[in-house]
Amino acid sequence: MKKILSYLKPHAFFVILCFVFLSIQGICDLILPNYMSDIVNIGIQQNGIVDSSPEAISENGYILVKSFMTDDEKKLVDKNYILIQTGLYNDAYKKYVSLYPSLQNQNIYVLNNTEERSDLNDIFNNAYLSMTYILKSSAPESSDYINESSDINFSKIYDLIPYFKNISKESLQNVRSNITSIDPYLYKQTSLYITKQFYSEIGLDINSIQNNYIFRIGLYMILFTLLSVIAAATVSFLAAKIVAKVAKTLRHNIFSKIESFSNNEFDQFSTASLITRTTNDITQIQTFLINSIRIICYAPIIAVGGIIMALSKSFSMGWVILLGVVVLLCLIFSVFSIAIPKFNLVQKLIDKFTLVTRENLTGVMVIRAFNTQKFEEKRFDDANLKLTKTNLFINRIIAIMSPSMMIIMNIIPLLIVWVGSKQIEASQMQVGDMIAFMQYSMQIIMAFLMIAVTFIFIPRATVSANRIAEVLETEPSIKDSKNPININKNNIKGKLEFKNVSFKYEDAKEDVIENVSFTALPSQTTAFIGSTGSGKSTLINLVPRFYNVTEGEILIDGINIKDISQNDLHDIIGYIPQKGLLFSGDIESNLRYGDENADEEDLKVAADVSQATEFINSNPNGFKYKISQSGSNVSGGQRQRLSIARALVKKAPIYIFDDSFSALDFKTDAALRKALNKYTKNSTILIVAQRISTIMDADQIIVLDNGKIVGVGKHKDLLKDCETYREIALSQLPKEEL
């Protein structure tokens, strides 16, 4: 997994940028419940009044409140408030008369400095509570003065100002000591209520204050929501771009690695497995990365920030969140402990499913010819059923989480309302704080859920990452020399020598090719023949280094092929495989596979030599005739002729024909070989064949039996001296034709 994650390094800047935007999104999401709390607590319950110290207060009110302040408090208040007198049409009067209509009838004091607002709030809180305490304790009819169900009767209270001014410092200090035991919530609400009454006295529109506050906080919420949406959209865009590029790089690296594999590595990894690793496994990595980029940063911010914000609203209800998180984690770990082992099995079943599907699609003609549709349907159904059952098991286990999560996420709010309502009744909590606490608890639970969801992808992604790493970390058994000899294709004559060559497949006990030595010269044709399994194809596959020799050496113009880079080696060899394989495109693109710079004349000459011109010209599109995948829309003989033409376009010093004439009729075979002798008169020709007629005219025929050379010579000599060759020849042609 570490190696896969290292593919994020080139995109480190964008990953960091994602984390920055996720942090912005998380902070915005955490702020919103707090603003909702303010709308309920301040905007609705407090009529939008935030501070106990009034923005403006009548002169009588100012004198009244100062009666309950200490000398130091009075000095601080006088420092921050200025008197605006009615009837003085100065600048100050003109400025404030529109804000405070009662200024036309009475003097008011206006706050002109907000730097010490916090200290002023404390002073007014103490003064308000002291006034309320003294009124209730000294006057039985105090309800006539202050009644929270209606407006305060200031006219009666103002009549008591002379009495309040005579209160001694000691009495005021005793009152201050007594009010400290009052619940802070009641303490604040009482102060704000009195401030509201002072505002009403000077003609302020309380409804306007409330509406303005709610509108302002609502606007903040809209702005933070938009910012959160923009951040989320940006992260989604960047994450998709990062993950797409990582997947592109992974696919490129895997494909490049596979192209460097020798046949040994292809024996280790099945084709179906390599296809699954290049597609499905990389998709699993993509899914994991795109979720991880979002969740790894966002979820912790929401979880930690949500806990802090929730506890700031009510520390005593923290156990509700803890209970919800513990139950959630227990549920998640229980589900995952059952589901995770199955994730490892899924990828193997996908490999098997891909293998069966691929075999069925590529072998559809054989399946029909042998009437084995029912058998293949059963094979497919077995693979499909096993994969389906495993996926269903995993999905059913994980599906348990959805209703369980809904139960948890519905019980937690009910529990919060039940506990919170009691605290609200006891004046220990405000309604807005309970609503915010509820929202934070949902955010916290969702954050832990998102983190848990990441664990769903980790096991499967880890399996896929290991499977991808297996391919990327596999070192090809055939490598270039550290200091390869540079060769020029035009300077190579094509002399090929086998010196005591032996070969055995990896982990095999016996040699397939044993102590083979021969020389193939330019301008000559060297043919190989033998019974099935005698090692003919294996022998010539050693020349382009599809396998490395176990012992001995192969030389081209005296140079060991191991000292030539594979690129240069393949450049001097025209290879025609036993099975003619064409690529999707058209005839021209397939022929240019031999040389992308070949001109039209080269293509026509190669087609003429390979006897492909007739069927190419028979189609109106000619060389632009579309070829389907693997050349399935042309016959076997046409595929072979196009494969031969493709190699001839290359104009190589060495040509290898691995039983490349088997699908041709005798007439076409003879015409092709005749044209081929003229076209490749300066090249070294290696032909593997099963038919005697194909190799009768070869300059040198090598007869193989169980990986050993049992005869070398021309056709007539071998008929006399090689029993194996004679048996093969007589089994194919009448004695008089030999």
Side-chain angles (χ1 to χ4, degrees):
M1 181 60 80
K2 288 182 179 178
K3 186 168 183 178
I4 302 301
L5 291 176
S6 67
Y7 281 84
L8 288 172
K9 285 183 180 178
H11 313 288
F13 173 76
F14 291 106
V15 173
I16 293 171
L17 204 59
C18 282
F19 289 165
V20 170
F21 279 105
L22 284 170
S23 300
I24 293 172
Q25 183 188 354
I27 292 169
C28 290
D29 291 345
L30 288 171
I31 288 173
L32 291 174
N34 210 35
Y35 277 130
M36 177 59 72
S37 173
D38 288 343
I39 286 177
V40 175
N41 292 341
I42 300 174
I44 297 175
Q45 291 184 311
Q46 298 174 193
N47 299 102
I49 300 172
V50 179
D51 298 295
S52 301
S53 54
E55 295 285 341
I57 186 172
S58 66
E59 184 177 17
N60 289 332
Y62 186 79
I63 296 170
L64 172 66
V65 176
K66 281 183 63 178
S67 302
F68 302 96
M69 298 179 186
T70 63
D71 292 338
D72 291 335
E73 290 173 344
K74 290 176 181 178
K75 290 179 182 178
L76 185 60
V77 170
D78 288 337
K79 173 185 172 184
N80 290 279
Y81 280 85
I82 59 171
L83 176 65
I84 307 298
Q85 294 180 331
T86 183
L88 294 179
Y89 296 99
N90 53 20
D91 292 338
Y93 178 85
K94 293 176 182 178
K95 176 182 177 182
Y96 291 110
V97 71
S98 59
L99 295 175
Y100 313 115
S102 67
L103 183 57
Q104 298 176 5
N105 305 315
Q106 61 177 328
N107 298 336
I108 63 171
Y109 278 85
V110 177
L111 180 67
N112 68 337
N113 183 17
T114 58
E115 293 179 2
E116 298 177 290
R117 194 67 180 268
S118 178
D119 293 334
L120 291 173
N121 285 338
D122 292 337
I123 293 171
F124 275 87
N125 282 336
N126 290 327
Y128 289 156
L129 268 294
S130 299
M131 180 181 70
T132 304
Y133 182 86
I134 291 172
L135 281 171
K136 288 185 177 181
S137 61
S138 61
E141 67 281 5
S142 59
S143 59
D144 294 336
Y145 304 133
I146 299 178
N147 185 354
E148 293 189 10
S149 63
S150 61
D151 294 336
I152 296 176
N153 190 343
F154 281 113
S155 60
K156 289 187 177 183
I157 297 177
Y158 291 154
D159 291 338
L160 299 174
I161 288 177
Y163 167 73
F164 294 142
K165 285 184 176 182
N166 293 324
I167 296 175
S168 64
K169 293 181 180 179
E170 292 77 11
S171 299
L172 184 60
Q173 187 61 40
N174 290 333
V175 170
R176 290 283 180 94
S177 301
N178 290 328
I179 64 175
T180 54
S181 60
I182 298 176
D183 184 89
Y185 174 71
L186 289 176
Y187 189 96
K188 183 177 181 181
Q189 292 303 312
T190 301
S191 298
L192 292 171
Y193 169 73
I194 295 173
T195 301
K196 172 188 170 184
Q197 295 300 313
F198 278 127
Y199 282 156
S200 298
E201 185 192 12
I202 60 174
L204 276 177
D205 186 353
I206 302 300
N207 289 332
S208 177
I209 295 174
Q210 184 178 42
N211 292 336
N212 290 339
Y213 180 85
I214 292 175
F215 178 79
R216 186 174 73 255
I217 299 300
L219 185 60
Y220 289 155
M221 292 183 72
I222 291 172
L223 291 175
F224 279 110
T225 301
L226 289 175
L227 186 58
S228 176
V229 169
I230 292 169
T234 304
V235 169
S236 297
F237 173 77
L238 292 175
K241 191 172 183 178
I242 292 167
V243 173
K245 287 186 177 180
V246 169
K248 175 187 173 184
T249 304
L250 276 173
R251 283 192 293 267
H252 174 270
N253 290 351
I254 290 176
F255 186 77
S256 298
K257 176 64 76 170
I258 291 172
E259 282 194 316
S260 71
F261 282 174
S262 68
N263 287 359
N264 282 331
E265 285 69 55
F266 282 109
D267 294 338
Q268 178 184 346
F269 300 101
S270 69
T271 303
S273 179
L274 289 173
I275 291 172
T276 304
R277 292 169 199 249
T278 311
T279 53
N280 184 272
D281 284 319
I282 290 180
T283 300
Q284 298 302 326
I285 298 296
Q286 279 185 279
T287 305
F288 168 72
L289 289 179
I290 200 164
N291 282 282
S292 296
I293 289 174
R294 287 189 55 80
I295 293 172
I296 286 176
C297 180
Y298 180 74
I301 291 174
I302 292 296
V304 176
I307 290 171
I308 294 171
M309 298 295 284
L311 295 180
S312 69
K313 296 298 179 184
S314 176
F315 188 83
S316 61
M317 287 207 302
W319 64 271
V320 178
I321 296 175
L322 179 63
L323 176 63
V325 171
V326 169
V327 173
L328 174 66
L329 293 178
C330 289
L331 171 67
I332 290 167
F333 285 122
S334 299
V335 169
F336 286 172
S337 62
I338 299 172
I340 284 174
K342 295 293 182 181
F343 284 121
N344 297 329
L345 182 60
V346 165
Q347 297 306 113
K348 294 179 181 178
L349 291 175
I350 291 175
D351 279 352
K352 178 67 176 176
F353 179 78
T354 306
L355 174 66
V356 173
T357 304
R358 185 174 179 273
E359 285 183 344
N360 273 266
L361 293 176
T362 54
V364 65
M365 301 302 292
V366 177
I367 293 169
R368 288 177 184 173
F370 285 89
N371 247 349
T372 55
Q373 288 95 329
K374 295 295 181 183
F375 174 75
E376 291 301 329
E377 283 178 12
K378 186 177 183 304
R379 279 185 69 210
F380 180 86
D381 287 342
D382 288 343
N384 193 15
L385 190 61
K386 287 179 181 178
L387 179 60
T388 302
K389 283 183 176 179
T390 306
N391 275 324
L392 281 174
F393 177 83
I394 293 171
N395 290 333
R396 283 167 181 163
I397 291 296
I398 294 177
I400 294 173
M401 289 182 60
S402 182
S404 302
M405 282 299 306
M406 291 304 297
I407 291 172
I408 293 172
M409 295 182 71
N410 281 287
I411 288 177
I412 293 301
L414 288 174
L415 198 57
I416 291 172
V417 171
W418 182 60
V419 176
S421 61
K422 293 184 177 181
Q423 293 193 5
I424 292 171
E425 185 182 15
S427 299
Q428 296 174 352
M429 190 179 195
Q430 296 189 66
V431 175
D433 291 341
M434 186 190 73
I435 295 172
F437 190 92
M438 194 183 305
Q439 290 179 312
Y440 284 127
S441 66
M442 291 298 99
Q443 286 182 336
I444 293 164
I445 290 173
M446 286 302 299
F448 278 97
L449 179 61
M450 286 190 289
I451 294 171
V453 167
T454 306
F455 286 98
I456 295 176
F457 300 107
I458 287 177
R460 196 164 184 178
T462 301
V463 172
S464 295
N466 291 336
R467 285 161 54 85
I468 292 170
E470 282 179 11
V471 177
L472 295 175
E473 292 173 0
T474 298
E475 289 298 327
S477 56
I478 297 176
K479 297 180 180 179
D480 288 340
S481 171
K482 292 183 179 179
N483 298 303
I485 297 173
N486 294 321
I487 61 172
N488 190 326
K489 176 181 176 180
N490 298 323
N491 297 331
I492 294 295
K493 295 180 179 179
K495 181 181 178 182
L496 180 68
E497 296 178 79
F498 273 61
K499 291 187 176 181
N500 303 317
V501 171
S502 296
F503 170 76
K504 65 179 177 181
Y505 290 105
E506 194 172 346
D507 299 327
K509 294 181 180 179
E510 297 181 356
D511 289 336
V512 180
I513 303 296
E514 185 176 345
N515 198 29
V516 171
S517 297
F518 68 88
T519 300
L521 298 175
S523 304
Q524 292 186 2
T525 299
T526 299
F528 301 87
I529 196 168
S531 59
T532 302
S534 60
K536 306 183 296 297
S537 293
T538 302
L539 181 68
I540 63 167
N541 281 337
L542 297 175
V543 179
R545 291 188 73 192
F546 294 156
Y547 293 102
N548 261 343
V549 299
T550 308
E551 295 178 11
E553 58 182 357
I554 302 173
L555 308 176
I556 294 178
D557 287 358
I559 304 172
N560 193 321
I561 60 172
K562 291 184 178 180
D563 295 329
I564 304 173
S565 69
Q566 293 181 69
N567 186 61
D568 288 347
L569 178 62
H570 297 155
D571 196 39
I572 62 174
I573 296 174
Y575 178 73
I576 301 92
Q578 190 170 9
K579 180 182 179 182
L581 179 68
L582 301 179
F583 298 93
S584 57
D586 53 34
I587 292 176
E588 182 180 343
S589 66
N590 272 276
L591 297 190
R592 289 190 187 278
Y593 212 74
D595 181 4
E596 60 182 12
N597 298 317
D599 54 33
E600 291 185 8
E601 186 61 30
D602 291 333
L603 301 183
K604 290 179 180 179
V605 170
D608 286 339
V609 173
S610 66
Q611 308 302 302
T613 301
E614 183 179 349
F615 83 83
I616 292 175
N617 290 337
S618 65
N619 189 282
N621 295 323
F623 282 91
K624 296 297 182 181
Y625 177 70
K626 293 295 180 182
I627 299 294
S628 61
Q629 183 182 359
S630 300
S632 59
N633 61 333
V634 294
S635 68
Q638 290 170 343
R639 277 199 302 273
Q640 278 197 342
R641 280 178 277 173
L642 290 176
S643 296
I644 292 169
R646 178 174 59 196
L648 295 178
V649 169
K650 197 171 185 180
K651 298 178 181 178
I654 299 173
Y655 286 97
I656 298 175
F657 296 86
D658 186 3
D659 201 12
S660 308
F661 308 100
S662 58
L664 305 179
D665 59 77
F666 287 100
K667 181 181 177 181
T668 304
D669 185 359
L672 194 154
R673 283 187 287 107
K674 183 178 179 181
L676 192 63
N677 288 335
K678 294 179 182 179
Y679 187 83
T680 61
K681 60 183 179 180
N682 296 321
S683 301
T684 301
I685 308 298
L686 303 179
I687 298 178
V688 171
Q690 296 286 353
R691 295 196 305 220
I692 290 292
S693 59
T694 302
I695 63 171
M696 287 175 61
D697 298 326
D699 299 294
Q700 178 181 223
I701 300 173
I702 297 174
V703 185
L704 294 174
D705 187 26
N706 292 325
K708 298 178 182 178
I709 295 179
V710 294
V712 179
K714 292 193 174 184
H715 173 68
K716 291 183 179 180
D717 297 332
L718 290 172
L719 283 175
K720 296 177 183 178
D721 303 330
C722 182
E723 181 65 26
T724 302
Y725 184 80
R726 186 165 51 252
E727 289 177 359
I728 295 171
L730 290 172
S731 69
Q732 295 183 16
L733 296 172
K735 188 174 182 180
E736 55 271 16
E737 291 186 18
L738 296 173

